[in-house]
Amino acid sequence: MTYSIVARSADGSALGVAVASKFLAVGMAVPAAEAGVGALATQAYANLAYRPQGLALLRTGLAAADVVAGLTAADQGRADRQLGVVTPTGDGATYTGAGCFDWAGGLAGDGYAVQGNILTGPEVVAEMERSWLGSADLPFPERLLRALAAGEAAGGDSRGRQSAALYVVSPGGGYGGLSDVAVDLRVDDHQDPVAELARLYVLHDQLFGHADPESLLPLEGAVAEEVATRLTALGYAVDRGLDAGLAAWAGSANMEERLVEGRIDPVVLEVLRAG
């Protein structure tokens, strides 16, 4: 009832799952991941116990194929299950039980596993794999979203659309660097969930992404004058310095993750200009 990609970033630091389905709130059931350990997707007649059990097996250092073998061997309902697993190194692994509804299947390779069931055809997972392999230049979450969109464009779930989710972990990748959950976005019930998920990710990156050091603008000259003028117009004092004024504004605008002392992220400046 679902199609998904489970993968790791090119440098192995991030792990994640992107999934879509004609199923309410698919994000509450399918994905699981732990930074430095691995990631998995459990679907079809999803066995939610695969999530804690799979992560426990991954913590022992087992290869993805061995985790799949261990989980399915102990499951009397394995014929109806579908599973994808990746580890911080090596090939991903995918499993499709013989009882899964057509079309069902998957593809796996170095650092990824793509799988789906009740799909319009094998082209769905084939296009997801093609997208993944051809988008190594993109940031990891965007690469996952691109693969999911490729599956949707190829036909996706043969029953229609309802929900989608993106879950990414990396060491210290969460808000304030205080958790490993870098992205946890869910579209629970929507007419075009994959597109809506992509829209939410753009907003997420704007608010919680980190500034590109090469794009930062010094808070001096014309830039400093503009920032001071705009902050003052919005009611934020700059008499204690622009950094203090920006921090006060950013705390209200939810832009604090992109602040860099003495400089300004063009993304922050764009939001400030929008008022």
Side-chain angles (χ1 to χ4, degrees):
M1 299 177 282
T2 304
Y3 56 101
S4 67
I5 177 168
V6 187
R8 68 167 179 268
S9 61
D11 64 2
S13 65
L15 299 152
V17 182
V19 57
S21 181
K22 179 65 171 68
F23 185 85
L24 180 67
V26 69
M28 65 84 185
V30 170
E34 184 174 325
V37 171
L40 64 89
T42 173
Q43 55 198 53
Y45 283 100
N47 184 340
L48 302 193
Y50 279 5
R51 298 187 302 179
Q53 292 171 358
L55 291 176
L57 290 173
L58 286 163
R59 290 187 199 107
T60 70
L62 285 175
D66 293 331
V67 172
V68 168
L71 289 173
T72 55
D75 182 5
Q76 293 185 349
R78 59 186 173 272
D80 297 322
R81 314 290 191 208
Q82 196 167 50
L83 176 65
V85 178
V86 293
T87 53
T89 61
D91 286 347
T94 186
Y95 167 85
T96 298
C100 289
F101 296 130
D102 287 337
W103 189 88
L107 299 166
D110 185 19
Y112 71 91
V114 177
Q115 45 282 316
N117 60 94
I118 319 185
L119 303 182
T120 56
E123 64 276 2
V124 176
V125 293
E127 287 302 313
M128 292 176 71
E129 180 186 52
R130 182 176 292 112
S131 172
W132 173 257
L133 294 175
S135 60
D137 58 323
L138 292 178
F140 179 60
E142 294 180 30
R143 198 176 176 193
L144 290 172
L145 288 171
R146 178 78 64 89
L148 197 66
E152 174 69 21
D157 190 320
S158 64
R159 301 165 306 157
R161 308 165 174 174
Q162 188 167 11
S163 65
L166 175 66
Y167 190 73
V168 175
V169 297
S170 62
Y175 180 77
L178 300 176
S179 87
D180 295 336
V181 180
V183 183
D184 185 2
L185 296 175
R186 301 180 182 184
V187 177
D188 288 345
D189 187 24
H190 197 276
Q191 291 183 344
D192 194 356
V194 173
E196 176 64 5
L197 185 65
R199 186 192 70 81
L200 290 178
Y201 177 72
V202 170
L203 182 59
H204 178 279
D205 185 57
Q206 180 188 69
L207 295 176
F208 308 123
H210 298 290
D212 176 0
E214 296 184 0
S215 72
L216 293 172
L217 303 173
L219 274 174
E220 56 189 38
V223 172
E225 291 178 9
E226 179 186 357
V227 170
T229 298
R230 292 187 180 279
L231 287 173
T232 301
L234 292 170
Y236 294 92
V238 296
D239 55 309
R240 294 170 54 196
L242 287 183
D243 284 318
L246 270 173
W249 167 81
S252 175
N254 300 318
M255 297 295 295
E256 62 273 12
E257 287 287 273
R258 284 188 171 272
L259 293 186
V260 178
E261 187 173 357
R263 293 177 287 176
I264 188 167
D265 184 342
V267 174
V268 174
L269 183 55
E270 182 180 348
V271 174
L272 182 62
R273 283 170 174 167

